[in-house]
Amino acid sequence: MSHHGLAESAARPEPDKVLVDIADYVHNFKVDSPLAVETARLCLIDTIGCGLEGLRFKECARLLGPVVEGTVVPNGTKVPGTNYQLDPVRGAFNIGTMIRWLDFNDCWLAAEWGHPSDNLGAMLAVADHLARQGQKVTVRDVLDGMVKAHEIQGCLALLNSFNRVGLDHVVLVKVASTAVVSKMLGLSREQTIDAVSQAWVDGQSLRTYRHAPNTGSRKSWAAGDACSRAVNLAYTVKRGEMGLPSVLTAKTWGFYDVLFKGKPFEFQRPYGSYIMENVLFKISYPAEFHAQTAVEAAHVLHAKLKEIGKSSDDIKSVQIRTQEAAMRIINKKGPLHNFADRDHDINYMVAFPLIHGRLTTEDYSDAAAADPRIDALRNKITCVEDTTFSADYHEPEKRFISNAITITLNDGTVLDEVHIDYPVGHKRRRQEGTPLLMNKFKTHIAHHYDQSTQSKILQTVEDAESLYQMPVDKFTDLFVKA
């Protein structure tokens, strides 16, 4: 009996449209939006600063450096804040990990959330290595790459929720970084399609428990891992590895069927420069972004309590009106085991400033969290979803991250609700936020460099036109530690 009718076709399919669209965008789109380029400059400054701040924590610093201690790669990637000189794959892991460690870098919130500046780990590592090999690669080239990586990651996130199917958002870092790095390395459009297809293959390996309950940890090096994978994939395809043209759409075996419950991606808009123009900066507080306005409101209420001669000890209950996303990922009860748990709990992030009138990176430490008043106040906090807040969160012309806090005191007094729709890092508050962002950067570099070096760094990053023309390796050298 013949079984030929059951055989699968060996014909190689045409590449999935999603792959083609990404490659065409990376190779053909010219970044000509002054707003996008200027925002990318601010993003570069802020992201480097966040990485330097991450280095101050031993849990981060101990993960960095070469795999084999003492290895120095000729013309290798230099890692800011260190004296490491690594191959670009390991360099991408180092830079990506330090950037992401404190959850203090930029943010994009939509159906999927994420931190598009994570991609700088891959791009800066490759650009620096290429420049040290003698290629002409300027900071403007990196900024253009940042705009494109932000756009790819952000547009994929607008209508497609990866977290709802158990996938972490860093899968989008791997895809966006692979696309942009492929162009940097001189791959053709067809090779870029191949590389991007490879970036979707091991999506399942990026499933993590970073936001799952009762795990007691968050894999803060996940972004560094995604950056290093992206660089490795681009180099692998450059050496001749084939792509998987139907990686998304293949029946049974494709990404959609295996990992996305059979649902194809949806897109709200074509690729351009929208994401970078509207990206969110974490400026005032090192807090998970869905809680930024809640933390700001808590500071306002701390001042109000002080004004009327009261303190957190006089609080009977606290109600937080918030968005659905915050309810789902940062509303936690019970013991918080470490820094990562605390900066992903809205109750902790509100309780601490209500008590102390501040929230800094050190305030997530074990020592700070040992204050018994914190958990006592956390137990008095109730979060509720406001469906209007959830709708405004997704509205393209608003993209609010609203929170509202009402405090009831032990004597029955109810303080006026403090309601904030968007934090200082929002596009609508960019003019107000930019000087504060630069102050944040100054604080971060002050821990690492003497006054003369700080002045040189600030002079360089503030002169936009000169910065754009600066070779990447000369820029990176500003941040190297002897």
Side-chain angles (χ1 to χ4, degrees), residues 3 65 72 88 125 130 167 249 252 283 286 297 315 340 359 395-396 432 459:
H3 295 278
V72 177
L130 294 176
L167 281 170
T249 60
T252 306
I283 295 178
I315 293 175
L359 187 66
E395 172 59 43
E432 174 190 358
Q459 182 179 3

Side-chain angles (χ1 to χ4, degrees), residues 100 103 107 109 113-115 163 169 209-214 217-218 282 285-296 320-336 339-351 359 364 378 381-385 393 401-405:
R100 188 69 188 87
D103 196 28
C107 191
L109 304 178
W113 43 79
H115 306 267
N163 62 82
H169 55 74
Y209 296 97
R210 293 173 63 238
H211 300 295
N214 304 322
S217 67
R218 186 181 84 247
K282 291 187 179 181
Y285 316 109
E288 202 281 340
F289 216 96
H290 295 92
Q292 287 279 320
T293 52
V295 175
E296 186 173 347
I320 304 173
R321 288 194 294 134
T322 191
Q323 343 86 37
E324 182 275 336
M327 291 292 293
R328 184 152 48 90
I329 67 169
I330 59 171
N331 181 25
K332 298 177 181 177
K333 295 297 182 184
L336 301 174
F339 187 116
D341 281 354
R342 296 167 196 135
D343 81 348
H344 273 61
D345 175 30
I346 192 171
N347 305 286
Y348 185 97
M349 291 182 279
V350 165
L359 187 66
Y364 297 111
R378 284 178 65 224
I381 298 175
T382 302
C383 293
V384 296
E385 179 190 355
Y393 175 93
I401 311 97
S402 304
N403 282 286
I405 301 179

Side-chain angles (χ1 to χ4, degrees), residues 125-393:
V126 170
D128 187 59
H129 173 57
L130 294 176
R132 294 184 193 283
Q133 286 186 316
Q135 295 190 35
K136 184 179 179 181
V137 187
T138 66
V139 172
R140 175 58 194 264
D141 294 325
V142 173
L143 298 182
D144 286 355
M146 291 176 68
V147 171
K148 292 183 178 183
H150 272 61
E151 191 74 2
I152 294 167
Q153 179 172 347
C155 283
L156 282 165
L158 282 171
L159 299 177
N160 306 296
S161 179
F162 292 78
N163 62 82
R164 287 188 181 274
V165 298
L167 281 170
D168 191 74
H169 55 74
V170 294
V171 66
L172 301 182
V173 173
K174 183 156 66 81
V175 170
S177 287
T178 300
V180 174
V181 165
S182 294
K183 176 68 161 55
M184 282 184 168
L185 290 174
L187 273 65
S188 68
R189 169 186 175 274
E190 289 70 26
Q191 287 176 308
T192 299
I193 292 172
D194 288 344
V196 173
S197 77
Q198 293 282 359
W200 291 108
V201 172
D202 63 346
Q204 190 167 13
S205 71
L206 290 175
R207 287 177 183 263
T208 73
Y209 296 97
R210 293 173 63 238
H211 300 295
N214 304 322
T215 60
S217 67
R218 186 181 84 247
K219 195 170 77 173
S220 300
W221 48 268
D225 180 61
C227 288
S228 65
R229 287 169 181 261
V231 176
N232 186 58
L233 287 173
Y235 272 107
T236 299
V237 170
K238 186 174 184 179
R239 296 187 184 101
E241 182 62 23
M242 297 173 64
L244 301 108
S246 60
V247 64
L248 299 174
T249 60
K251 295 301 180 186
T252 306
W253 303 100
F255 186 96
Y256 291 156
D257 278 2
V258 174
L259 296 167
F260 224 64
K261 300 184 178 179
K263 183 181 178 182
F265 297 150
E266 298 178 65
F267 291 89
Q268 185 184 88
R269 61 198 309 122
Y271 296 119
S273 55
Y274 172 81
I275 307 301
M276 181 61 82
E277 291 169 356
N278 290 276
V279 77
L280 302 162
F281 288 111
K282 291 187 179 181
I283 295 178
S284 301
Y285 316 109
E288 202 281 340
F289 216 96
H290 295 92
Q292 287 279 320
T293 52
V295 175
E296 186 173 347
H299 279 76
V300 173
L301 286 164
H302 173 83
K304 179 62 177 178
L305 288 169
K306 189 173 182 180
E307 177 186 319
I308 63 176
K310 303 289 186 179
S311 73
S312 61
D313 294 335
D314 298 298
I315 293 175
K316 178 180 180 180
S317 65
V318 179
Q319 184 189 76
I320 304 173
R321 288 194 294 134
T322 191
Q323 343 86 37
E324 182 275 336
M327 291 292 293
R328 184 152 48 90
I329 67 169
I330 59 171
N331 181 25
K332 298 177 181 177
K333 295 297 182 184
L336 301 174
H337 300 281
N338 54 30
F339 187 116
D341 281 354
R342 296 167 196 135
D343 81 348
H344 273 61
D345 175 30
I346 192 171
N347 305 286
Y348 185 97
M349 291 182 279
V350 165
F352 201 99
L354 283 177
I355 296 168
H356 295 283
R358 69 171 196 273
L359 187 66
T360 69
T361 52
E362 287 82 3
D363 294 332
Y364 297 111
S365 68
D366 291 347
D371 184 339
R373 294 177 296 172
I374 299 172
D375 280 345
L377 186 52
R378 284 178 65 224
N379 290 332
K380 299 177 182 180
I381 298 175
T382 302
C383 293
V384 296
E385 179 190 355
D386 185 308
T387 55
T388 301
F389 289 0
S390 298
D392 289 346
Y393 175 93

